[in-house]
Amino acid sequence: MQNIYLTSFDAVQLFTNIPVKDTIDHITNTIPISDIPIDKQTIKTLLEIACTQVPFRFDNEHYVQVEGLSMGSSLAPLMAEFSMDMIEKHISAPRLYIRYVDDCLAIFENEENAKTFLASLNSHHPSIQFTMEKPINGKINFLDMTVCVENGSLSTTWHVKQTNTYLYTHAQAHSPNTYKDNAIRALYRRSQLLTSDTALKEQAKSKVKHIFMCNGYSSRHIDKIFEKVDSQMQTTNTETVEVDKQKIFWKLPFIKSIHTEIKKAFTRLTKCSKKSNSTSHSQHSKHNTCAKTKTLSHRLSPPLSSTNIRVSIATHATSERHAASSKEG
């Protein structure tokens, strides 16, 4: 790729500047009537009620928001997407144009073409205006990725904002270990997928490790999670995963001292509860599983039941509070 001019565009305060009426008209004109269960006029009326009759209070005064949407509105992301689509319907896309909500990355032949494109973006609606960010030394940040132009080719690296505090769930926090491990797994996976160069991948890996060691995790524990993630990324799985409709979910309060035992017990109880038209071999396996569950149930005396579990948890939690109070006394 030659004559690459890399730049990004950002809509100025998009959510609070969404042109509600024009966006609603665009939605009703864009969505086919066959894709909605009610007529378009009803859709339009409901959107107007939800977006133009929003009460709020500021400085002890009551107002109604009639234009733009608040940042916490559940409809704001959808309306923002349609408002951007309304603008994009009237522009000619450059060599490369990628957008996430209101952040856009684009490639042009030169800076003049980029400025012309910016003028085009800003000419279609007075409420939606864009700013353009120029590359610095051939690099530009887009979301959590830095895109670099070098010798006519593009490369990417994982980008961390300067305002990032690197605070994640601490290793000693009163939270399930799966939550903590998933935080490490997710950040490491992201850092590797967003980095194209092998040497830079190692730098990103070291940075992720440093972040979680600062949050109390051991080097050995972090490395074990890294190895699992590397193995998963090297294995390409193209098979369609079907959801087990018979899967049962149990929702319980987290109590660190008994969490592991209860998790194991409920896993075995779930297996026993599934109905099956299996052969004698599978029936034998089921019998063994239930036997193991029975053993665990006795370890968590009295035997497990939904009522006993609730009572056991409540009793245990009360005991912990009494113990804490005694220590304080």
Side-chain angles (χ1 to χ4, degrees):
M1 297 173 67
Q2 299 297 325
N3 299 325
I4 296 178
Y5 185 80
L6 189 66
T7 187
S8 67
F9 302 95
D10 180 49
V12 181
Q13 300 177 352
L14 176 60
F15 279 27
T16 54
N17 286 305
I18 293 173
V20 175
K21 183 179 181 303
D22 292 339
T23 303
I24 292 175
D25 289 339
H26 179 66
I27 291 173
T28 55
N29 293 331
T30 301
I31 300 178
I33 188 64
S34 58
D35 290 352
I36 51 179
I38 54 179
D39 62 275
K40 289 189 174 184
Q41 184 56 47
T42 303
I43 287 284
K44 184 175 182 178
T45 302
L46 291 173
L47 285 172
E48 288 174 346
I49 293 173
C51 296
T52 63
Q53 298 183 24
V54 182
F56 67 95
R57 188 175 69 175
F58 175 74
D59 198 19
N60 291 324
E61 294 288 339
H62 293 270
Y63 301 87
V64 173
Q65 185 167 353
V66 295
E67 193 66 290
L69 292 172
S70 62
M71 295 294 290
S73 169
S74 57
L75 273 174
L78 179 66
M79 293 290 286
E81 187 67 30
F82 273 105
S83 67
M84 291 294 292
D85 181 71
M86 178 176 64
I87 300 297
E88 291 169 346
K89 292 288 186 183
H90 304 285
I91 63 174
S92 298
R95 293 170 62 178
L96 175 70
Y97 179 80
I98 302 171
R99 176 176 63 81
Y100 181 78
V101 189
D102 61 340
D103 292 313
C104 313
L105 178 71
I107 290 179
F108 301 88
E109 283 75 18
N110 51 58
E111 185 177 353
E112 282 303 313
N113 289 353
K115 291 180 178 179
T116 301
F117 185 78
L118 175 64
S120 176
L121 285 174
N122 289 333
S123 66
H124 295 290
H125 203 286
S127 296
I128 303 180
Q129 297 294 293
F130 294 81
T131 58
M132 184 177 79
E133 182 180 349
K134 298 180 180 181
I136 300 175
N137 298 325
K139 298 179 180 180
I140 200 160
N141 297 324
F142 178 66
L143 304 177
D144 52 356
M145 177 175 65
T146 299
V147 185
C148 177
V149 180
E150 190 173 2
N151 298 325
S153 61
L154 296 177
S155 63
T156 59
T157 57
W158 175 48
H159 169 65
V160 180
K161 293 183 178 180
Q162 292 182 349
T163 54
N164 194 317
T165 59
Y166 303 126
L167 292 178
Y168 289 83
T169 304
H170 196 274
Q172 300 302 319
H174 192 75
S175 180
N177 290 333
T178 51
Y179 290 10
K180 301 171 186 176
D181 292 351
N182 284 341
I184 301 173
R185 185 180 295 109
L187 190 64
Y188 175 58
R189 180 180 174 84
R190 175 180 294 181
S191 73
Q192 297 300 291
L193 291 177
L194 294 180
T195 305
S196 57
D197 182 76
T198 303
L200 294 177
K201 283 180 182 286
E202 286 299 318
Q203 292 181 17
K205 183 177 183 178
S206 298
K207 191 166 191 174
V208 174
K209 186 172 183 178
H210 173 73
I211 289 171
F212 284 99
M213 287 185 69
C214 290
N215 283 274
Y217 296 87
S218 69
S219 174
R220 182 178 178 183
H221 182 70
I222 297 171
D223 287 338
K224 287 176 65 176
I225 295 176
F226 284 177
E227 289 175 7
K228 290 181 181 179
V229 174
D230 289 336
S231 177
Q232 291 171 354
M233 289 194 296
Q234 290 172 3
T235 304
T236 305
N237 186 5
T238 57
E239 297 180 3
T240 303
V241 179
E242 295 185 1
V243 177
D244 184 2
K245 294 182 179 180
Q246 292 185 336
K247 194 167 187 178
I248 300 172
F249 293 91
W250 301 87
K251 186 175 182 180
L252 296 168
F254 176 72
I255 301 176
K256 189 173 183 179
S257 55
I258 61 174
H259 172 73
T260 303
E261 286 293 316
I262 289 181
K263 182 178 179 181
K264 291 179 180 177
F266 271 108
T267 299
R268 294 193 172 102
L269 280 174
T270 302
K271 291 179 180 178
C272 289
S273 67
K274 289 183 178 179
K275 295 181 180 179
S276 172
N277 297 321
S278 56
T279 61
S280 58
H281 174 72
S282 61
Q283 290 174 350
H284 177 68
S285 299
K286 182 178 178 182
H287 174 75
N288 289 339
T289 303
C290 292
K292 293 178 181 178
T293 305
K294 187 175 181 181
T295 303
L296 261 177
S297 298
H298 285 300
R299 290 173 63 189
L300 290 171
S301 182
L304 284 173
S305 70
S306 58
T307 304
N308 289 336
I309 284 293
R310 288 195 294 271
V311 172
S312 174
I313 290 173
T315 304
H316 191 91
T318 303
S319 300
E320 285 192 341
R321 285 196 295 271
H322 285 320
S325 299
S326 299
K327 289 180 180 179
E328 289 176 3

